[in-house]
């Protein structure tokens, strides 16, 4: 189990080092067994700034199962709508080292479906 986490963090670090010096917004996804989180992060002057965020910890998701595909679809839709309100269309998808499968894939697909480009 420890090797699994180390490998994920290694993949995450490698991807972020590539984007470190570029002025682009990143859609960062993190998932735990119970929740899923999405943030739009901007890197400027060697600091990261959170521009927008959405997660299943918000009050609107109180009555649904937060660790499944349905919740991922809702978070993808919500983050896309919040980005469109701020006129942000182009982002880079950062999956935080997780495999592009299951909940991460559905979040990305629904963010694309509702207007984000990556």
């Amino acid at each position: 189990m420890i090797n699994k986490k180390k490998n994920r963090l290694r993949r995450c670090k490698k991807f972020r080092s590539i984007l470190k010096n570029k002025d682009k917004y990143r859609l960062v996804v993190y998932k735990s067994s119970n929740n899923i989180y999405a943030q739009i992060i901007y890197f400027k002057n060697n600091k990261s700034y959170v521009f927008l965020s959405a997660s299943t910890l918000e009050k609107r998701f109180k009555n649904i199962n937060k660790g499944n595909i349905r919740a991922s679809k809702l978070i993808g839709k919500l983050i896309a709508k919040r980005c469109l309100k701020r006129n942000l269309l182009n982002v880079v998808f950062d999956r935080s080292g997780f495999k592009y499968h299951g909940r991460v894939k559905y979040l990305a697909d629904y963010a694309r479906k509702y207007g984000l480009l990556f």
Side-chain angles (χ1 to χ4, degrees), residues 1 15 22 28 31 39 44 47 56 58 61 63 67 71 74-75 77 82 85 87 91 99 101 105:
M1 196 62 140
F15 178 75
K22 297 181 181 177
V28 180
K31 66 174 187 164
Q39 294 180 333
K44 186 176 181 181
K47 283 192 171 183
T56 53
E58 295 177 13
F61 298 108
N63 295 326
L74 293 173
I75 293 296
K77 179 180 174 181
R82 288 181 181 174
K85 280 185 182 177
N87 294 325
V91 296
K99 292 182 180 179
H101 175 75
K105 180 179 183 290

Side-chain angles (χ1 to χ4, degrees), residues 4-104:
K4 199 173 185 181
K5 186 172 182 181
K6 280 184 183 178
N7 289 338
R8 182 186 72 79
L9 293 174
R10 179 185 49 79
R11 287 189 301 265
C12 176
K13 186 177 179 182
K14 183 178 178 183
F15 178 75
R16 289 182 183 164
S17 68
I18 293 168
L19 290 177
K20 188 173 185 179
N21 296 326
K22 297 181 181 177
D23 292 335
K24 295 188 176 189
Y25 290 91
R26 288 185 297 151
L27 171 59
V28 180
V29 175
Y30 180 77
K31 66 174 187 164
S32 66
S33 59
N34 296 327
N35 294 297
I36 191 156
Y37 311 86
Q39 294 180 333
I40 302 293
I41 294 179
Y42 185 69
F43 189 80
K44 186 176 181 181
N45 297 333
N46 294 327
K47 283 192 171 183
S48 296
Y49 300 97
V50 176
F51 189 65
L52 291 170
S53 67
S55 75
T56 53
L57 294 176
E58 295 177 13
K59 287 185 178 182
R60 68 175 68 193
F61 298 108
K62 187 175 183 179
N63 295 326
I64 67 166
N65 187 357
K66 300 172 186 176
N68 61 8
I69 289 174
R70 180 174 171 242
S72 297
K73 291 176 183 179
L74 293 173
I75 293 296
K77 179 180 174 181
L78 182 63
I79 197 77
K81 286 185 176 183
R82 288 181 181 174
C83 286
L84 293 177
K85 280 185 182 177
R86 300 256 181 124
N87 294 325
L88 178 63
L89 295 175
N90 292 320
V91 296
V92 177
F93 186 67
D94 181 358
R95 54 191 172 86
S96 299
F98 293 109
K99 292 182 180 179
Y100 189 76
H101 175 75
R103 293 189 289 159
V104 175

